[in-house]
Amino acid sequence: MGVASTIVRPFYNCFALAVLVAVAPLAATSFLAAQTPLSGDRLIVYGDVVYFYPPGDTRNCILNNRFKRGEPVGFRMTAINPVTGKRDRATQLVVHVTYNGKTADLPMRDRQTAQQPEREFFVAKWIVPNDATTGIVRYTVTAKDPQGRTGEFKPFEVQASQITIVE
């Protein structure tokens, strides 16, 4: 037992040291993270893009990213306070659509009403102009709440998922 103990003990000590070296940074990071308060200065902004035909039209509110000139692009977004997990209806959201080298700023409006309280999001509509060239249209959405917190939404940088003007 003396020989096995002589061989295993250094291995055990090395193993214990390796575990300590591997776990110490994780423990320190967790400790520091626990000491840092959650950042509540950035709004969480997200949403989608749909057809915005009038109510009753079978194409209304269908998710889409390919539009023809004259078609209604609907932006549905929300901005969440990361501290409370709720949205503030007084938050101001603006869609910035860039096409043909110019940017159109579209203020969004709160979609929630007394008759439709479940619609906890903001909306804006952009009719694709007749002078819009075919191809990808870039957009972002910025938000600012009454307390001065801001946030921004940018779609994924994947060409197939961008708003695209087609013939």
Side-chain angles (χ1 to χ4, degrees), residues 5-16:
S5 177
T6 306
I7 295 172
V8 173
R9 185 171 294 166
F11 177 77
Y12 176 78
N13 289 341
C14 266
F15 180 75

Side-chain angles (χ1 to χ4, degrees), residues 13-164:
N13 289 341
C14 266
F15 180 75
L17 182 60
V19 169
L20 180 62
V21 168
V23 172
L26 296 173
T29 303
S30 297
F31 175 76
L32 292 175
Q35 299 303 313
T36 305
L38 289 176
S39 175
D41 62 344
R42 298 286 297 166
L43 297 171
I44 301 165
V45 182
Y46 63 93
D48 59 20
V49 177
V50 297
Y51 279 123
F52 254 16
Y53 284 102
D57 188 301
T58 58
R59 296 169 292 177
N60 189 39
C61 292
I62 292 177
L63 292 171
N64 190 44
N65 72 324
R66 297 171 61 86
F67 297 89
K68 295 178 180 178
R69 293 177 192 95
E71 289 188 317
V73 180
F75 297 92
R76 302 185 300 188
M77 296 283 163
T78 195
I80 303 297
N81 176 333
V83 176
T84 65
K86 298 182 181 195
R87 80 180 188 111
D88 183 334
R89 293 181 68 186
T91 299
Q92 297 175 339
L93 285 86
V94 178
V95 180
H96 310 279
V97 180
T98 302
Y99 71 101
N100 291 1
K102 56 188 170 188
T103 301
D105 296 325
L106 312 170
M108 300 189 84
R109 70 175 176 84
D110 184 12
R111 182 61 180 87
Q112 189 175 29
T113 64
Q115 296 79 22
Q116 296 172 317
E118 74 282 358
R119 297 190 179 184
E120 296 185 27
F121 52 89
F122 297 83
V123 295
K125 181 175 173 178
W126 180 62
I127 304 293
V128 178
N130 288 332
D131 69 343
T133 56
T134 58
I136 292 175
V137 170
R138 301 285 181 191
Y139 77 97
T140 62
V141 179
T142 55
K144 183 175 183 181
D145 73 4
Q147 292 74 38
R149 283 182 290 263
T150 61
E152 182 177 35
F153 172 83
K154 291 182 180 180
F156 295 114
E157 282 294 327
V158 177
Q159 285 193 359
S161 67
Q162 300 296 319
I163 292 177
T164 305

